[in-house]
Amino acid sequence: MEETKKVLLGMTLAELKALVAELGMPAFTAKQIAEWMYGKRVRRIEDMTNISKSNREKLEATYTIGCMDPIEHVKSKDGTVKYLFPTSNGKFVETVYIPDHKRATLCISCQVGCKMNCLFCHTGKQGFEGDLTTADILNQIYYFPASKDEENEKGALTNIVYMGQGEPFDNLDNVLRSTEILTADYGWAWSPKRITVSSCGLKKGMIRFLDESLCNLAISLHSPIPEQRAMLMPAEKAYSITDMIRDLERYDFSHQRRLSFEYTVFKGLNDSQMHVKEIIKLLKNLDCRVNLIRYHNIDKEDESFGLQTSDEKRMEAMRDYLSSHGVFTTIRTSRGEDIWAACGLLSTAKKRS
């Protein structure tokens, strides 16, 4: 991609309208560009064939679509595929494709590294290396076809989760622009219920997200005890889980939008009966679900963290108790652990430019 050229990918319809007006093109050209990019996913401006040649040449003089292919990928024994995408700032991010019968979920990143430094997360150990632009975020999705391609492993996506590298509410402007394009009629026209944004909880970002988006929200809980959560997640010190719950109680999650809580289960740390009862007490006024997640050791050669995953029977007992007391709970299937693609394992620290 030529550095001197501006990127079309990630532009909203309003921005495309301003662009074509500036270049002296007909107003309807903005919708044509959006259809070619977001509807047909063309990779070159010259392929926008219902735009006149002279107008395509005007676009090409200063703009490029801006899509970039992954530089490598690796496939897990369970079918999960991890991709390494370049970014506009010369870094890399990891993106995970998870096929599951009729579903195909893409786990995308929004930052290179992360500032949150959660104790159990490999991305946090990488440190923070920059926000992704809207184009960088959408580029991870742009690579995948709109319909099943039988000649390769890329299947049509059914769900998108912002659960890769980075904290979405720490890059909220670009995340919201990307979800707007994903759900707008001029963009991918996805239903918001197919998109989930996961956060450890940043107050201003969460409130703004709930007010400006209809996409699903997933909150990283990991402990119902504030002091223990702070040990696992430093973000707790700035915005406590109890304050967060009070804010969430002001919103309606009983219809299309879904609220869920992610709970990584650590043996002997947050898997006791006391923890289960505190979860029920904490979430009693919310229409939500809890996803129990197995811990994946972030460094096989360093046991200094002292964290281990809870055993299957204990997790099943937690699930059953929570569900029987009105908190619908599932155990998330671990995917891609052998290729470091499972929850908490994404990192590009060794691939810095």
Side-chain angles (χ1 to χ4, degrees), residues 119-335:
L119 181 65
F120 49 88
C121 180
H122 200 44
T123 306
K125 305 309 168 189
Q126 176 176 343
F128 177 70
E129 297 185 37
D131 289 329
L132 297 195
T133 64
T134 307
D136 290 329
I137 294 171
L138 293 178
N139 183 61
Q140 299 167 76
I141 305 163
Y142 205 82
Y143 177 69
F144 291 83
S147 60
K148 179 66 177 176
D149 183 344
E150 299 295 345
E151 296 181 0
N152 59 43
E153 294 170 342
K154 297 188 295 176
L157 303 176
T158 62
N159 298 83
I160 292 172
V161 294
Y162 287 69
M163 294 183 181
Q165 292 176 259
E167 165 54 56
F169 293 168
D170 192 40
N171 185 21
L172 187 57
D173 285 341
N174 289 323
V175 167
L176 284 175
R177 283 163 58 87
S178 67
T179 58
E180 176 190 332
I181 292 167
L182 282 168
T183 56
D185 289 340
Y186 70 81
W188 270 294
W190 276 43
S191 166
K193 66 183 180 181
R194 296 170 61 188
I195 302 167
T196 300
V197 177
S198 177
S199 173
C200 67
L202 303 180
K203 182 179 177 67
K204 290 182 180 179
M206 188 185 81
I207 299 301
R208 186 178 160 204
F209 171 80
L210 290 171
D211 289 341
E212 297 181 24
S213 171
L214 292 175
C215 295
N216 299 324
L217 174 63
I219 293 293
S220 296
L221 176 57
H222 308 305
S223 176
I225 312 301
E227 296 77 13
Q228 188 176 64
R229 187 171 186 265
M231 180 271 292
L232 294 167
M233 306 174 62
E236 164 71 21
K237 298 171 186 175
Y239 185 32
S240 74
I241 189 63
T242 51
D243 289 342
M244 194 185 311
I245 295 300
R246 279 196 290 268
D247 286 334
L248 288 169
E249 287 174 349
R250 296 191 290 109
Y251 292 86
D252 183 5
F253 296 100
S254 63
H255 299 293
Q256 175 174 293
R257 171 185 274 166
R258 189 170 72 192
L259 173 65
S260 58
F261 289 87
E262 311 296 294
Y263 195 96
T264 301
V265 188
F266 304 104
K267 184 177 182 180
L269 182 67
N270 66 348
D271 61 350
S272 71
Q273 187 72 3
M274 179 270 291
H275 286 91
V276 174
K277 290 181 178 180
E278 288 298 317
I279 292 172
I280 294 169
K281 188 186 304 183
L282 185 70
L283 306 182
K284 64 182 179 180
N285 295 324
L286 288 172
D287 191 322
C288 64
R289 67 173 58 195
V290 171
N291 295 317
L292 302 179
I293 303 170
R294 296 171 182 82
Y295 169 61
H296 304 100
N297 194 339
I298 65 175
D299 192 337
K300 302 298 184 184
E301 298 177 355
D302 184 358
E303 298 297 333
S304 62
F305 295 112
L307 299 176
Q308 300 177 36
T309 192
S310 192
D311 61 76
E312 193 72 19
K313 287 186 177 180
R314 181 63 203 137
M315 291 181 69
E316 290 175 353
M318 293 177 69
R319 176 199 62 197
D320 295 345
Y321 190 89
L322 287 167
S323 293
S324 67
H325 286 76
V327 181
F328 179 70
T329 303
T330 63
I331 298 174
R332 179 180 292 168
T333 301
S334 182
R335 299 289 299 271

Side-chain angles (χ1 to χ4, degrees), residues 39-50:
K40 299 179 181 178
R41 306 192 198 193
V42 297
R43 307 184 72 78
R44 303 178 303 174
I45 291 172
E46 65 185 79
D47 293 331
M48 299 180 179
T49 53
N50 65 347

Side-chain angles (χ1 to χ4, degrees), residues 3-17:
E3 292 183 4
T4 56
K5 289 191 175 183
K6 300 175 184 177
V7 172
L8 292 173
L9 183 61
M11 283 192 173
T12 63
L13 184 59
E15 291 168 331
L16 291 172
K17 286 179 178 178

